Amino acid sequence: MRARFGPFTIDSETRQLLRQGRDIHLSPKAFDLLCALIETRPKVADKADLRARIWPNTYVVDANLNILIGEIRRALGDDVQDSRFIRTVHGVGYAFCGTAADDPRPRTEGQARFCWVVWNGRAYPLAEGDNIVGRDPQSDIWLDADGVSRRHAIIRVDSSNRRVRLEDLRSTNGTFVGRSAVETEVSLNDGDLIQVGTVDLTVRLWATDKLPETKKMGRGIT
């Protein structure tokens, strides 16, 4: 499961919770509980069902579940009195009450191995074809940051010809490669710096047989 909500992205495969590209720490069981609530949304998850999922074949009391909910709320900056993400249904359980968008595009090894962008030291693979960059949560590269338009730019990946091109989508603040404004579609090379609002993305192009194993990570930036 991979979903976006507010400034966060969660990926059950890489077991990462990110806020604008930065890792947010959750204990393993708190992470599993958050995934369960998002997968169940908008339905209420019964406490008994959650205990059985998080602690299989183990008897635990509700207090253990409450502790994990508290940890999740602190990590998300959620307020129990004015919940944006986690809603308590007294006597029943909990529900994810935020707006979450599933990431519908499957990631493939071939796509992930040709072109990446790097932000804050973390690499994100681009898919074959068009990749929309913007503040809209439905964007392929979601940048929830100052100065980014809802549909800011597009990065086109043509792996068969090893070609990557960038086009500005009439964004409010413009798109830049280095210090040059992107006025027409431009080619991108390994190491190019793309400026989108307050975000700097570094382009990386790698040969399939040279991709480091440690770089195989999930797509998406928030």
Side-chain angles (χ1 to χ4, degrees):
M1 178 205 70
R2 182 177 174 84
R4 304 166 177 175
F5 58 97
F8 301 97
T9 300
I10 190 168
D11 192 325
S12 60
E13 293 183 9
T14 62
R15 295 192 66 82
Q16 288 180 297
L17 174 65
L18 305 175
R19 180 188 176 96
Q20 296 183 352
R22 294 183 174 86
D23 275 304
I24 302 298
H25 174 73
L26 278 179
S27 66
K29 291 191 181 301
F31 184 90
D32 291 340
L33 176 56
L34 179 56
C35 286
L37 294 174
I38 293 174
E39 289 172 358
T40 307
R41 73 183 191 281
K43 296 180 180 179
V44 177
D46 183 89
K47 288 184 179 181
D49 293 338
L50 291 173
R51 289 196 303 268
R53 174 166 176 167
I54 307 302
W55 293 278
N57 303 317
T58 303
Y59 174 77
V60 296
V61 297
D62 284 349
N64 296 75
L65 199 58
N66 296 341
I67 290 171
L68 295 185
I69 290 293
E71 180 183 347
I72 292 170
R73 283 182 169 140
R74 288 191 297 274
L76 301 181
D78 205 20
D79 186 350
V80 65
Q81 302 300 328
D82 185 20
S83 300
R84 293 184 301 153
F85 302 117
I86 307 298
R87 178 169 63 94
T88 300
V89 183
H90 295 288
V92 182
Y94 301 94
F96 186 87
C97 58
T99 300
D102 292 326
D103 187 343
R105 185 173 355 187
R107 291 164 290 169
T108 68
E109 291 299 314
Q111 292 171 347
R113 291 188 175 187
F114 171 57
C115 182
W116 302 62
V117 291
V118 179
W119 184 37
N120 289 334
R122 186 176 299 280
Y124 301 85
L126 298 178
E128 183 75 12
D130 291 351
N131 296 265
I132 298 295
V133 181
R135 200 163 188 170
D136 189 330
Q138 298 299 323
S139 299
D140 300 295
I141 305 173
W142 181 33
L143 303 179
D144 188 12
D146 292 340
V148 180
S149 299
R150 289 186 64 82
R151 287 172 59 88
H152 197 108
I154 188 168
I155 301 176
R156 294 188 171 95
V157 177
D158 180 1
S159 59
S160 61
N161 294 304
R162 294 192 58 78
R163 180 186 304 158
V164 182
R165 299 183 68 82
L166 171 69
E167 179 183 353
D168 181 72
L169 296 178
R170 298 183 180 179
S171 62
T172 300
N173 296 309
T175 304
F176 297 81
V177 176
R179 296 183 178 180
S180 301
V182 175
E183 298 179 351
T184 61
E185 191 175 75
V186 299
S187 295
L188 295 174
N189 299 302
D190 183 46
D192 280 347
L193 183 67
I194 304 173
Q195 183 179 345
V196 179
T198 57
V199 176
D200 289 335
L201 304 173
T202 302
V203 178
R204 297 305 310 271
L205 308 180
W206 288 309
T208 301
D209 58 353
K210 294 181 180 180
L211 177 66
E213 290 296 321
T214 56
K215 296 296 185 180
K216 295 180 181 178
M217 302 167 62
R219 180 181 63 82
I221 305 173
T222 60

PDB file of all heavy atoms in Angstrom, residues 2-17:
ATOM      1  N   ARG A   2       0.491   2.205  -0.826  1.00  0.00           N
ATOM      2  CA  ARG A   2       1.172   3.497  -0.859  1.00  0.00           C
ATOM      3  C   ARG A   2       0.093   4.570  -0.964  1.00  0.00           C
ATOM      4  O   ARG A   2      -0.758   4.519  -1.842  1.00  0.00           O
ATOM      5  CB  ARG A   2       2.126   3.580  -2.040  1.00  0.00           C
ATOM      6  CG  ARG A   2       2.919   4.890  -2.105  1.00  0.00           C
ATOM      7  CD  ARG A   2       3.895   4.877  -3.257  1.00  0.00           C
ATOM      8  NE  ARG A   2       4.537   6.161  -3.409  1.00  0.00           N
ATOM      9  CZ  ARG A   2       5.605   6.566  -2.734  1.00  0.00           C
ATOM     10  NH1 ARG A   2       6.155   5.755  -1.855  1.00  0.00           N
ATOM     11  NH2 ARG A   2       6.135   7.750  -2.931  1.00  0.00           N
ATOM     12  N   ALA A   3       0.110   5.520  -0.033  1.00  0.00           N
ATOM     13  CA  ALA A   3      -0.939   6.544  -0.007  1.00  0.00           C
ATOM     14  C   ALA A   3      -0.351   7.886   0.397  1.00  0.00           C
ATOM     15  O   ALA A   3       0.683   7.967   1.060  1.00  0.00           O
ATOM     16  CB  ALA A   3      -2.054   6.136   0.959  1.00  0.00           C
ATOM     17  N   ARG A   4      -1.053   8.937  -0.021  1.00  0.00           N
ATOM     18  CA  ARG A   4      -0.660  10.302   0.305  1.00  0.00           C
ATOM     19  C   ARG A   4      -1.795  10.959   1.075  1.00  0.00           C
ATOM     20  O   ARG A   4      -2.955  10.826   0.709  1.00  0.00           O
ATOM     21  CB  ARG A   4      -0.394  11.103  -0.974  1.00  0.00           C
ATOM     22  CG  ARG A   4       0.642  10.488  -1.898  1.00  0.00           C
ATOM     23  CD  ARG A   4       0.574  11.169  -3.251  1.00  0.00           C
ATOM     24  NE  ARG A   4       1.610  10.665  -4.164  1.00  0.00           N
ATOM     25  CZ  ARG A   4       1.709  11.028  -5.436  1.00  0.00           C
ATOM     26  NH1 ARG A   4       0.829  11.874  -5.944  1.00  0.00           N
ATOM     27  NH2 ARG A   4       2.666  10.548  -6.192  1.00  0.00           N
ATOM     28  N   PHE A   5      -1.454  11.679   2.128  1.00  0.00           N
ATOM     29  CA  PHE A   5      -2.464  12.420   2.883  1.00  0.00           C
ATOM     30  C   PHE A   5      -1.792  13.627   3.536  1.00  0.00           C
ATOM     31  O   PHE A   5      -0.712  13.519   4.107  1.00  0.00           O
ATOM     32  CB  PHE A   5      -3.138  11.534   3.936  1.00  0.00           C
ATOM     33  CG  PHE A   5      -2.199  10.913   4.934  1.00  0.00           C
ATOM     34  CD1 PHE A   5      -2.004  11.499   6.175  1.00  0.00           C
ATOM     35  CD2 PHE A   5      -1.521   9.742   4.634  1.00  0.00           C
ATOM     36  CE1 PHE A   5      -1.149  10.926   7.098  1.00  0.00           C
ATOM     37  CE2 PHE A   5      -0.652   9.163   5.553  1.00  0.00           C
ATOM     38  CZ  PHE A   5      -0.468   9.747   6.794  1.00  0.00           C
ATOM     39  N   GLY A   6      -2.450  14.788   3.392  1.00  0.00           N
ATOM     40  CA  GLY A   6      -1.841  16.004   3.906  1.00  0.00           C
ATOM     41  C   GLY A   6      -0.422  16.139   3.361  1.00  0.00           C
ATOM     42  O   GLY A   6      -0.176  15.912   2.173  1.00  0.00           O
ATOM     43  N   PRO A   7       0.534  16.476   4.210  1.00  0.00           N
ATOM     44  CA  PRO A   7       1.932  16.569   3.754  1.00  0.00           C
ATOM     45  C   PRO A   7       2.675  15.243   3.829  1.00  0.00           C
ATOM     46  O   PRO A   7       3.895  15.205   3.672  1.00  0.00           O
ATOM     47  CB  PRO A   7       2.533  17.586   4.732  1.00  0.00           C
ATOM     48  CG  PRO A   7       1.785  17.352   5.996  1.00  0.00           C
ATOM     49  CD  PRO A   7       0.367  16.987   5.587  1.00  0.00           C
ATOM     50  N   PHE A   8       1.953  14.134   4.060  1.00  0.00           N
ATOM     51  CA  PHE A   8       2.587  12.845   4.326  1.00  0.00           C
ATOM     52  C   PHE A   8       2.430  11.867   3.157  1.00  0.00           C
ATOM     53  O   PHE A   8       1.464  11.916   2.400  1.00  0.00           O
ATOM     54  CB  PHE A   8       1.981  12.201   5.585  1.00  0.00           C
ATOM     55  CG  PHE A   8       2.118  13.027   6.823  1.00  0.00           C
ATOM     56  CD1 PHE A   8       1.069  13.831   7.251  1.00  0.00           C
ATOM     57  CD2 PHE A   8       3.287  13.021   7.556  1.00  0.00           C
ATOM     58  CE1 PHE A   8       1.176  14.612   8.386  1.00  0.00           C
ATOM     59  CE2 PHE A   8       3.417  13.796   8.702  1.00  0.00           C
ATOM     60  CZ  PHE A   8       2.369  14.592   9.118  1.00  0.00           C
ATOM     61  N   THR A   9       3.413  10.972   3.056  1.00  0.00           N
ATOM     62  CA  THR A   9       3.329   9.804   2.182  1.00  0.00           C
ATOM     63  C   THR A   9       3.688   8.590   3.014  1.00  0.00           C
ATOM     64  O   THR A   9       4.672   8.617   3.774  1.00  0.00           O
ATOM     65  CB  THR A   9       4.307   9.908   1.000  1.00  0.00           C
ATOM     66  OG1 THR A   9       4.016  11.071   0.224  1.00  0.00           O
ATOM     67  CG2 THR A   9       4.208   8.676   0.104  1.00  0.00           C
ATOM     68  N   ILE A  10       2.914   7.525   2.895  1.00  0.00           N
ATOM     69  CA  ILE A  10       3.210   6.286   3.608  1.00  0.00           C
ATOM     70  C   ILE A  10       3.327   5.157   2.604  1.00  0.00           C
ATOM     71  O   ILE A  10       2.561   5.075   1.637  1.00  0.00           O
ATOM     72  CB  ILE A  10       2.129   5.971   4.669  1.00  0.00           C
ATOM     73  CG1 ILE A  10       2.587   4.822   5.569  1.00  0.00           C
ATOM     74  CG2 ILE A  10       0.767   5.710   4.041  1.00  0.00           C
ATOM     75  CD1 ILE A  10       1.728   4.639   6.805  1.00  0.00           C
ATOM     76  N   ASP A  11       4.321   4.303   2.795  1.00  0.00           N
ATOM     77  CA  ASP A  11       4.577   3.187   1.887  1.00  0.00           C
ATOM     78  C   ASP A  11       4.814   1.945   2.723  1.00  0.00           C
ATOM     79  O   ASP A  11       5.798   1.853   3.458  1.00  0.00           O
ATOM     80  CB  ASP A  11       5.801   3.482   1.019  1.00  0.00           C
ATOM     81  CG  ASP A  11       5.958   2.500  -0.139  1.00  0.00           C
ATOM     82  OD1 ASP A  11       5.621   1.310   0.044  1.00  0.00           O
ATOM     83  OD2 ASP A  11       6.430   2.911  -1.210  1.00  0.00           O
ATOM     84  N   SER A  12       3.880   0.984   2.626  1.00  0.00           N
ATOM     85  CA  SER A  12       3.992  -0.225   3.443  1.00  0.00           C
ATOM     86  C   SER A  12       5.110  -1.148   2.969  1.00  0.00           C
ATOM     87  O   SER A  12       5.613  -1.968   3.743  1.00  0.00           O
ATOM     88  CB  SER A  12       2.663  -0.987   3.447  1.00  0.00           C
ATOM     89  OG  SER A  12       2.302  -1.379   2.124  1.00  0.00           O
ATOM     90  N   GLU A  13       5.514  -1.027   1.685  1.00  0.00           N
ATOM     91  CA  GLU A  13       6.585  -1.889   1.170  1.00  0.00           C
ATOM     92  C   GLU A  13       7.951  -1.446   1.681  1.00  0.00           C
ATOM     93  O   GLU A  13       8.765  -2.264   2.099  1.00  0.00           O
ATOM     94  CB  GLU A  13       6.564  -1.894  -0.357  1.00  0.00           C
ATOM     95  CG  GLU A  13       5.334  -2.552  -0.954  1.00  0.00           C
ATOM     96  CD  GLU A  13       5.400  -2.603  -2.464  1.00  0.00           C
ATOM     97  OE1 GLU A  13       6.465  -2.287  -3.025  1.00  0.00           O
ATOM     98  OE2 GLU A  13       4.386  -2.959  -3.075  1.00  0.00           O
ATOM     99  N   THR A  14       8.199  -0.145   1.640  1.00  0.00           N
ATOM    100  CA  THR A  14       9.482   0.368   2.134  1.00  0.00           C
ATOM    101  C   THR A  14       9.424   0.682   3.623  1.00  0.00           C
ATOM    102  O   THR A  14      10.437   1.024   4.221  1.00  0.00           O
ATOM    103  CB  THR A  14       9.889   1.644   1.380  1.00  0.00           C
ATOM    104  OG1 THR A  14       8.913   2.671   1.612  1.00  0.00           O
ATOM    105  CG2 THR A  14       9.985   1.377  -0.117  1.00  0.00           C
ATOM    106  N   ARG A  15       8.207   0.576   4.204  1.00  0.00           N
ATOM    107  CA  ARG A  15       7.960   0.869   5.617  1.00  0.00           C
ATOM    108  C   ARG A  15       8.486   2.259   5.962  1.00  0.00           C
ATOM    109  O   ARG A  15       9.262   2.443   6.906  1.00  0.00           O
ATOM    110  CB  ARG A  15       8.572  -0.195   6.536  1.00  0.00           C
ATOM    111  CG  ARG A  15       7.930  -1.570   6.368  1.00  0.00           C
ATOM    112  CD  ARG A  15       8.339  -2.522   7.465  1.00  0.00           C
ATOM    113  NE  ARG A  15       7.836  -2.111   8.778  1.00  0.00           N
ATOM    114  CZ  ARG A  15       6.616  -2.339   9.231  1.00  0.00           C
ATOM    115  NH1 ARG A  15       5.719  -2.969   8.467  1.00  0.00           N
ATOM    116  NH2 ARG A  15       6.255  -1.940  10.444  1.00  0.00           N
ATOM    117  N   GLN A  16       7.992   3.234   5.196  1.00  0.00           N
ATOM    118  CA  GLN A  16       8.384   4.612   5.404  1.00  0.00           C
ATOM    119  C   GLN A  16       7.161   5.507   5.549  1.00  0.00           C
ATOM    120  O   GLN A  16       6.188   5.370   4.805  1.00  0.00           O
ATOM    121  CB  GLN A  16       9.215   5.134   4.229  1.00  0.00           C
ATOM    122  CG  GLN A  16      10.619   4.567   4.154  1.00  0.00           C
ATOM    123  CD  GLN A  16      11.358   5.135   2.966  1.00  0.00           C
ATOM    124  OE1 GLN A  16      10.947   4.910   1.824  1.00  0.00           O
ATOM    125  NE2 GLN A  16      12.416   5.877   3.212  1.00  0.00           N
ATOM    126  N   LEU A  17       7.256   6.417   6.500  1.00  0.00           N
ATOM    127  CA  LEU A  17       6.320   7.521   6.617  1.00  0.00           C
ATOM    128  C   LEU A  17       7.131   8.786   6.385  1.00  0.00           C
ATOM    129  O   LEU A  17       8.097   9.048   7.113  1.00  0.00           O
ATOM    130  CB  LEU A  17       5.663   7.552   8.002  1.00  0.00           C
ATOM    131  CG  LEU A  17       4.766   8.767   8.292  1.00  0.00           C
ATOM    132  CD1 LEU A  17       3.546   8.768   7.380  1.00  0.00           C
ATOM    133  CD2 LEU A  17       4.347   8.787   9.766  1.00  0.00           C
TER     134      LEU A  17
END
